[in-house]
Amino acid sequence: MKLSINQMRAVEAVVRTGSFSAAAKELGISQPSVSNHLSALEKHYRTQLVHRNGRQAEATETCREILSRIRSVLAMTDEIEHALEGRRRMQAGSLRLGYSTYQFAMPILSTFMTKFPDVEIEARAMASNDLLPLLEDGKFDVVFITAKEPPQGLYVQKIRTEPIVVVVPEGHPLSERQTASWKDVAGYPLVQRENSSGTRRVFEKAALNAGIRLNTVLALGSWGAIVSTINAGMGIGVAMAGEVLPSNNLVPIPIDDEALNVSHYLACLPEMQHVSAIRAMFDAVHALQ
């Protein structure tokens, strides 16, 4: 038999209150349960811990020798329980988050942080297919990723589905068009995200299926850099329609291809989905849908 926390709680409560019945009431258990805890200890260790005198109980010399250490262990146990309870109630803790598209991730993150201001957030921007291995290795708790289909083997919530568009500066020859063809796209230099971008992979696969050879002249690691490059006249861009904001001074042009769309997901490892902070992030997605 190993000494248990419940047994130590029973010993401490009986000695402090001087009564088995008072200890039982304080601990929220029956008096026989308190007696059983004490009796099991005394029988196993072959020593008496409490003198029983009618309804009164007092510590033996052996019990007094270990009582301060019992109380120390119980105090540390209470501290651990308090810390864990704080995390369960989202009054403490941290969350490591990766995202590929800030335009979609930040409204959800803002909702989460407004509701749980005491949770520390560490967020990093990366391409979708760079985020997934880090999630699987435990470097992130949750990730926002872009993909044609939900990734296998993960717990996933779809946030939205977006058409992929080409993006041009105001005044560009395509800027007045309602749609662009694949041949139109092939005629211009393209500025895209890095090869591990989920949007880029879907876009290039669709172009290949359409028999189109793309002219990607520059690959950049952030949407902000792509916006600056397009506005500087160095090429046309590729993005999800929802990424293009009015402040970008750019015009999104749909491509005449009904299959050219991609989805954005929140994902975590299946075994992590019930962790309070992770569950709350998924709840934030539901709140905005």
Side-chain angles (χ1 to χ4, degrees):
M1 186 187 76
K2 295 291 185 180
L3 181 63
S4 72
I5 295 295
N6 287 336
Q7 289 171 331
M8 287 189 283
R9 290 192 193 281
V11 171
E12 194 281 331
V14 167
V15 172
R16 177 167 43 77
T17 63
S19 163
F20 280 79
S21 59
K25 184 177 180 180
E26 180 179 291
L27 296 173
I29 60 178
S30 68
Q31 183 174 329
S33 294
V34 174
S35 297
N36 289 339
H37 282 316
L38 267 293
S39 297
L41 282 176
E42 291 176 330
K43 181 178 179 180
H44 180 75
Y45 292 108
R46 298 180 183 179
T47 186
Q48 189 174 8
L49 296 172
V50 174
H51 290 302
R52 297 155 176 83
N53 182 16
R55 294 185 177 181
Q56 298 299 309
E58 62 179 22
T60 63
E61 182 65 27
T62 299
C63 187
R64 284 194 292 270
E65 289 176 1
I66 63 173
L67 191 58
S68 63
R69 281 172 280 179
I70 288 176
R71 285 173 173 157
S72 176
V73 170
L74 293 178
M76 287 189 287
T77 301
D78 288 343
E79 287 184 6
I80 293 170
E81 289 178 344
H82 179 75
L84 292 174
E85 183 64 18
R87 289 177 179 267
R88 186 179 73 86
R89 295 185 178 184
M90 304 293 289
Q91 295 169 341
S94 61
L95 189 68
R96 299 165 302 165
L97 180 150
Y99 64 93
S100 62
T101 308
Y102 73 88
Q103 295 92 329
F104 304 154
M106 290 306 150
I108 297 167
L109 183 57
S110 177
T111 298
F112 177 94
M113 294 179 67
T114 299
K115 189 171 183 180
F116 305 109
D118 297 322
V119 177
E120 180 182 346
I121 302 291
E122 178 186 338
R124 292 176 58 192
M126 301 176 69
S128 294
N129 290 282
D130 292 330
L131 288 170
L132 288 172
L134 295 176
L135 176 69
E136 293 169 355
D137 289 344
K139 302 295 192 303
F140 289 115
D141 300 311
V142 292
V143 293
F144 292 88
I145 57 171
T146 299
K148 187 68 173 178
E149 302 291 340
Q152 298 297 310
L154 299 177
Y155 180 76
V156 171
Q157 171 67 42
K158 185 165 76 172
I159 299 170
R160 62 201 294 168
T161 297
E162 291 279 325
I164 298 177
V165 297
V166 290
V167 185
V168 302
E170 295 175 352
H172 188 277
L174 293 178
S175 62
E176 300 299 324
R177 300 273 294 274
Q178 295 298 313
T179 61
S181 68
W182 275 115
K183 289 184 178 180
D184 292 329
V185 174
Y188 291 97
L190 290 177
V191 180
Q192 296 201 69
R193 289 286 301 269
E194 59 269 64
N195 285 325
S196 50
S197 160
T199 301
R200 177 171 177 173
R201 290 191 176 188
V202 172
F203 180 78
E204 291 185 343
K205 183 176 181 180
L208 182 65
N209 290 340
I212 297 299
R213 183 175 181 178
L214 300 173
N215 179 27
T216 299
V217 296
L218 192 59
L220 297 170
S222 73
W223 171 246
I226 290 175
V227 169
S228 297
T229 302
I230 297 170
N231 280 320
M234 298 173 65
I236 67 174
V238 177
M240 290 179 281
E243 290 183 86
V244 187
L245 305 178
S247 59
N248 298 146
N249 298 317
L250 298 174
V251 181
I253 310 295
I255 298 174
D256 190 16
D257 185 338
E258 292 183 357
L260 193 57
N261 56 66
V262 69
S263 294
H264 205 63
Y265 301 92
L266 177 63
C268 72
L269 297 177
E271 60 269 25
M272 299 293 286
Q273 63 181 287
H274 300 298
V275 173
S276 295
I278 296 174
R279 182 71 263 162
M281 186 62 72
F282 278 88
D283 289 343
V285 172
H286 288 294
L288 292 175
Q289 290 181 331

